[in-house]
Amino acid sequence: MTASRIFLLSPAHCGGKRAALLLNPRAAFPLAQRLRSAGVTLGEAFSFLSGLYFRGKLTYSNRFARPPAESVGVQIITTDRGLVAADTAIGVRDLHAFGSVDIRADHPRYRTPLLRDASRLGTGTEIVLLGSVATGKYVDVLLEVIGDRLLFPTEFVGRGDMSRGALLLRAAREGRELAYEPVAGAVRRGPRARKVAVTR
């Protein structure tokens, strides 16, 4: 029997130049206009802010998520709201709020809601983190409640963000799920991996 699987996506940076572009009240491109009116999904907004890397994470996780009944297969780590479904609608105020909180494992506004939501993930479900495991800002919090069920793609080791994004897009296009291993006890850093061609 195939195990159920949920993906957790690390967030995009909400305080950079692309965030300023998206939040500009005079911006005329469609995504910015929708953000100011009906809203956009969190996945759409973060794909714009982070580009190839987040687009790869979102495309791959939507392709391979196998959530248990009544669960959400693709959830995004946020700065102050814990885990939020990728298809959740957000607006301008939400993006401003995300950009006002630092992601630090010891920051209560980030840590407390993330622990709360991670503890609610089903005990029989594998949890795959699509994000950096080289620092503790995600894994130190998640490991407290998920433990050995917290996995990451082995091929992430030694790759930068662009390479990871290209890898995920290619794997999703080919229908090839990557191999995972537990974060706990894993080698999180390694020599630079072979470059993957960027898929547009």
Side-chain angles (χ1 to χ4, degrees):
M1 182 178 179
T2 303
S4 56
R5 183 168 293 150
I6 289 174
F7 288 92
L8 305 184
L9 281 55
S10 60
H13 177 50
C14 297
K17 292 181 179 179
R18 291 187 69 82
L21 180 63
L22 183 58
L23 290 167
N24 185 337
R26 295 182 296 277
F29 59 95
L31 187 68
Q33 291 180 328
R34 286 199 292 118
L35 179 68
R36 296 194 300 267
S37 55
V40 301
T41 69
L42 183 59
E44 285 181 295
F46 279 11
S47 291
F48 176 84
L49 297 180
S50 188
L52 175 67
Y53 185 30
F54 198 90
R55 183 161 57 89
K57 291 188 291 187
L58 188 61
T59 301
Y60 180 89
S61 57
N62 278 324
R63 174 69 174 80
F64 294 112
R66 297 189 296 272
E70 300 181 1
S71 294
V72 178
V74 182
Q75 303 183 39
I76 299 173
I77 298 169
T78 63
T79 59
D80 64 346
R81 301 180 193 180
L83 299 173
V84 177
D87 60 359
T88 299
I90 64 165
V92 170
R93 289 184 180 180
D94 300 297
L95 272 189
H96 278 300
F98 291 146
S100 68
V101 179
D102 291 332
I103 295 181
R104 297 198 323 266
D106 62 348
H107 194 309
R109 288 183 63 190
Y110 162 68
R111 174 187 177 81
T112 300
L114 181 55
L115 279 174
R116 175 199 66 207
D117 292 346
S119 67
R120 295 172 178 169
L121 299 174
T123 56
T125 302
E126 293 178 344
I127 313 298
V128 179
L129 173 63
L130 297 183
S132 174
V133 296
T135 65
K137 58 185 179 180
Y138 310 125
V139 299
D140 286 355
V141 181
L142 294 171
L143 283 173
E144 291 186 32
V145 290
I146 298 176
D148 290 343
R149 291 187 298 125
L150 183 64
L151 311 175
F152 77 105
T154 303
E155 291 186 59
F156 267 24
V157 176
R159 294 187 185 276
D161 288 353
M162 287 287 285
S163 180
R164 291 176 183 178
L167 172 70
L168 292 170
L169 284 174
R170 175 178 290 180
R173 186 184 69 241
E174 296 173 350
R176 174 180 60 88
E177 191 164 11
L178 302 175
Y180 311 115
E181 63 179 285
V183 172
V187 175
R188 302 183 194 176
R189 299 180 180 88
R192 184 166 296 277
R194 179 176 55 84
K195 185 178 292 187
V196 177
V198 175
T199 304
R200 296 296 181 186

